[in-house]
Amino acid sequence: QVVTAGGGKLILLVEDEQVLQDAIRAVLERMQYTVLTANDGIEALLLMGQTTNKISAMITDVHMPRMGGMELIRKLQPTHPDLPILLTSGLFGEEETALIKSLSISNILLKPYNETQLTAALRVLLP
């Protein structure tokens, strides 16, 4: 089943596991989203500073080398307070849970997840 929900909207995908990044990107592109990829939060910040197109949403892993998703979100909140964010992780500790509550992030996808779960999460993120 091909879902064409994206309409060319730009999604920033921040994921350090290359196999997972490629798989998620393929799903997003099938859904007609345009995808920018970054391997960690530092690359994501650079990409956000370089792109002239409006990023419609960000999907980010929590745990990554150099800069993880939580620190990335903290750095983006002041300049992009309305950016829809989908947070993915295999593990949420007390610190992550507290920050998620403080930033009002309600879109969370626990790894491992499948294409149906990703599609459903994106429908909530970008109705």
Side-chain angles (χ1 to χ4, degrees), residues 5-98:
K9 288 181 181 167
L10 183 59
I11 294 184
L12 176 57
L13 171 60
V14 191
E15 172 62 61
D16 63 316
E17 292 180 52
Q18 193 61 52
V19 171
L20 198 49
Q21 187 188 96
D22 292 344
I24 298 167
R25 180 185 195 131
V27 170
L28 295 173
E29 288 176 347
R30 274 200 306 275
M31 293 173 68
Q32 305 297 311
Y33 289 104
T34 302
V35 184
L36 281 177
T37 56
N39 294 313
D40 60 32
I42 293 171
E43 281 186 25
L45 289 174
L46 288 170
L47 274 173
M48 288 196 78
Q50 292 169 349
T51 186
T52 54
N53 299 326
K54 183 184 183 297
I55 294 176
S56 301
M58 179 174 72
I59 301 172
T60 183
D61 189 11
V62 171
H63 303 284
M64 293 177 286
R66 298 199 311 163
M67 182 189 295
M70 303 311 276
E71 188 180 345
L72 171 61
I73 292 166
R74 271 199 284 277
K75 289 186 181 297
L76 287 175
Q77 280 295 112
T79 54
H80 297 79
D82 299 324
L83 179 67
I85 297 169
L86 176 61
L87 205 53
T88 68
S89 181
L91 175 71
F92 285 99
E94 286 180 29
E95 180 188 354
E96 289 88 355
T97 304

